[in-house]
Amino acid sequence: MNDVVIQKTSAFFQEKFGSTPEKVVLSPGRINIIGEHIDYNDGYVLPAAIDKIICFAFSKNNSNESNIIALDLNEEMVVDLTAKVRLSEVVWTNYLLGVVKQLQDNGFNFEGFNCVFSSTIPVGSGLSSSAALECGFLYGINALFQLQIKPVDIALMGQKAEHWVGINCGIMDQFSSVMGLENQVIKIDCKTLEFEYHKADFNEYALILFDSNVKHSLMTSAYNQRRQQCEEGLAILKNNFPEISSFRDCSLEQVQQLQNVMSPNVFKRCSFVVKEIQRVALACAALDQGAIETLGQLMFETHAGLSKEYEVSCDELDYLVDFVKNEKAVVGSRLMGGGFGGCTINLIKKGEEETIKSKLVQGYKTAFGIDLKIYDVKIGNGTSLYETIVS
Ligand code: ADP
Ligand code: MG
């Protein structure tokens, strides 16, 4: 599928601008194996880049203007690089303008270029097409004008571009899009940005995402409330146990000892956070040992926690996870991302994928009247140059 999009993007570039692109960049979406809602709670996450990408074709154009074409939308934007960038009404352009602003604010010199991009990442399903867009675009400008920006800084500047658009995201999405490696997951310490790779060999299991195709509007208010409840809980923990400076110093027993001085919700949130931090460590150990059933069990536990303790699931996501729990071929499943919609991530025995998919498509349609979308994913490389262009 990626070959088709690479070919299509390059061919369109050639037709529109009359030459083959100087640089072709592939920038992936990402999944997160485990470690949900703990990026802002002193925790670790375990994401990976996937084999779904945005392909960008670039060439310099010896002017002060850049022409950028979103091929999937059949829309074009022209950026005057001598002017200060401003937010536009056209949403997709802002992610790219945010990148231009980051480059300008940090004093990087570059000139006009032409760019065409097209994607195989589903948009708005929680696979971080937005991070792929920011990071791939920045990576391409960096390559074209030899700006010598380091990969980690590409991720950080991509994150700042997204903040400028108005989405106060953590670093996980951009970091995994840029730093991903084929068949490796990245354990990221969201506090310090330290990271380590763990081999991800799922043996006889395939990674499959089920897209609930819903997005409930609760997300923003619930997110802010959860953050506040966790802060409140951590303050109580620190008051009672001076040795605690963050959730990662905290045991479940300590949380349980303070149940009577926490509100029921604060208690549930803290219990989830402490257990989820532990689950990420256990998941890394399971991957290292090739114990995929253990990893799957941890994923089911994470879902139960997100649903019952952190309360960020919804009927549709619970249905998708509960359904596959009864299937022997599925060893793990959980909602992925912030919750209230988006995808579940599943580990399904190879050879049995089609049976599970068709049962679930039918069941989901009957239960909610909604068409399930399905994405097969493999763990792929982070943002990189595509070297062999066939014109
Ligand atoms: P996600 O990152 O989970 O896919 P977001 O809402 O964060 O969802 O980002 C999606 C936005 O990114 C889209 O609304 C669009 O503005 C931009 N985008 C992503 N992919 C493309 C694409 N192929 N063409 C144009 N814009 C895109
Ligand atoms: Mg996004």
Side-chain angles (χ1 to χ4, degrees):
M1 189 151 97
N2 288 343
D3 288 347
V4 175
V5 87
I6 294 164
Q7 185 59 41
K8 182 177 91 173
T9 309
S10 303
F12 187 91
F13 187 98
Q14 164 110 41
E15 197 184 304
K16 171 89 184 171
F17 298 112
S19 63
T20 51
E22 285 172 56
K23 305 279 179 200
V24 173
V25 173
L26 308 183
S27 189
R30 63 102 192 90
I31 50 173
N32 186 26
I33 303 290
I34 201 161
E36 216 61 83
H37 279 284
I38 52 172
D39 53 338
Y40 55 89
N41 280 318
D42 314 315
Y44 307 84
V45 290
L46 201 60
I50 55 174
D51 59 346
K52 303 203 181 309
I53 49 112
I54 303 183
C55 173
F56 300 79
F58 288 92
S59 282
K60 294 178 195 162
N61 66 13
N62 303 312
S63 79
N64 285 320
E65 257 183 17
S66 287
N67 306 298
I68 301 156
I69 295 171
L71 195 51
D72 305 332
L73 303 175
N74 196 21
E75 288 181 15
E76 179 166 5
M77 124 166 115
V78 180
V79 191
D80 174 0
L81 297 172
T82 61
K84 238 181 115 178
V85 298
R86 285 170 204 284
L87 277 172
S88 130
E89 308 247 290
V90 186
V91 176
W92 69 269
T93 64
N94 286 327
Y95 295 95
L96 307 181
L97 292 168
V99 167
V100 171
K101 180 167 164 47
Q102 275 305 305
L103 287 166
Q104 289 176 342
D105 289 355
N106 287 287
F108 288 103
N109 287 316
F110 58 103
E111 288 159 14
F113 56 90
N114 299 325
C115 173
V116 176
F117 69 94
S118 179
S119 176
T120 61
I121 310 170
V123 175
S125 294
L127 302 191
S128 249
S129 64
S130 59
L133 188 56
E134 297 138 9
C135 295
F137 187 63
L138 180 47
Y139 192 99
I141 301 173
N142 184 43
L144 208 52
F145 297 97
Q146 295 170 10
L147 302 178
Q148 317 285 349
I149 306 172
K150 291 198 295 264
V152 171
D153 291 323
I154 290 185
L156 286 165
M157 289 167 78
Q159 180 196 22
K160 285 202 180 127
E162 184 135 352
H163 289 174
W164 183 73
V165 174
I167 294 136
N168 193 17
C169 58
I171 188 62
M172 175 171 77
D173 299 352
Q174 289 79 11
F175 200 93
S176 18
S177 181
V178 175
M179 305 296 286
L181 285 179
E182 200 175 346
N183 296 324
Q184 308 270 339
V185 294
I186 321 170
K187 182 185 176 203
I188 310 170
D189 178 339
C190 296
K191 249 173 104 171
T192 63
L193 279 195
E194 283 170 56
F195 62 99
E196 61 189 35
Y197 293 100
H198 286 260
K199 192 158 181 283
D201 178 357
F202 298 105
N203 303 322
E204 69 261 48
Y205 295 99
L207 271 177
I208 297 177
L209 307 181
F210 294 123
D211 187 343
S212 66
N213 235 330
V214 294
K215 223 179 207 171
H216 295 293
S217 58
L218 279 160
M219 186 66 190
T220 317
S221 60
Y223 178 81
N224 292 333
Q225 195 192 44
R226 297 299 178 281
R227 283 196 84 135
Q228 191 256 319
Q229 287 165 334
C230 289
E231 268 171 38
E232 189 184 324
L234 185 59
I236 296 171
L237 283 156
K238 281 181 176 172
N239 270 338
N240 286 270
F241 300 105
E243 71 274 22
I244 291 178
S245 68
S246 89
F247 274 117
R248 71 177 65 166
D249 311 320
C250 203
S251 68
L252 186 59
E253 291 70 33
Q254 287 171 317
V255 177
Q256 283 163 344
Q257 279 176 38
L258 297 176
Q259 182 167 9
N260 55 358
V261 291
M262 289 179 181
S263 75
N265 279 341
V266 167
F267 172 71
K268 283 194 281 186
R269 310 302 184 237
C270 292
S271 303
F272 170 79
V273 168
V274 169
K275 285 192 266 183
E276 185 70 357
I277 290 175
Q278 292 170 358
R279 277 190 289 262
V280 175
L282 293 171
C284 288
L287 274 173
D288 293 345
Q289 291 158 14
I292 304 310
E293 289 82 4
T294 307
L295 174 68
Q297 192 52 43
L298 291 163
M299 288 163 68
F300 278 129
E301 285 173 26
T302 290
H303 185 81
L306 287 167
S307 181
K308 303 274 169 352
E309 294 174 329
Y310 218 67
E311 297 181 288
V312 291
S313 188
C314 58
D315 291 346
E316 293 88 346
L317 291 169
D318 285 345
Y319 178 92
L320 293 175
V321 173
D322 288 343
F323 190 102
V324 298
K325 227 181 203 165
N326 300 320
E327 296 288 339
K328 247 186 93 191
V330 185
V331 289
S333 177
R334 67 177 196 84
L335 78 83
M336 190 180 79
F340 303 110
C343 293
T344 64
I345 174 169
N346 303 269
L347 283 169
I348 305 183
K349 188 128 195 186
K350 287 179 187 159
E352 312 227 18
E353 302 103 307
E354 295 313 315
T355 320
I356 301 289
K357 284 177 187 175
S358 62
K359 275 199 219 175
L360 194 54
V361 164
Q362 252 184 8
Y364 193 63
K365 181 85 179 179
T366 309
F368 298 100
I370 303 172
D371 290 324
L372 188 69
K373 284 194 266 177
I374 300 174
Y375 315 121
D376 294 308
V377 291
K378 291 199 174 55
I379 296 183
N381 279 319
T383 313
S384 52
L385 285 179
Y386 180 76
E387 304 289 356
T388 45
I389 305 158
V390 193
S391 59

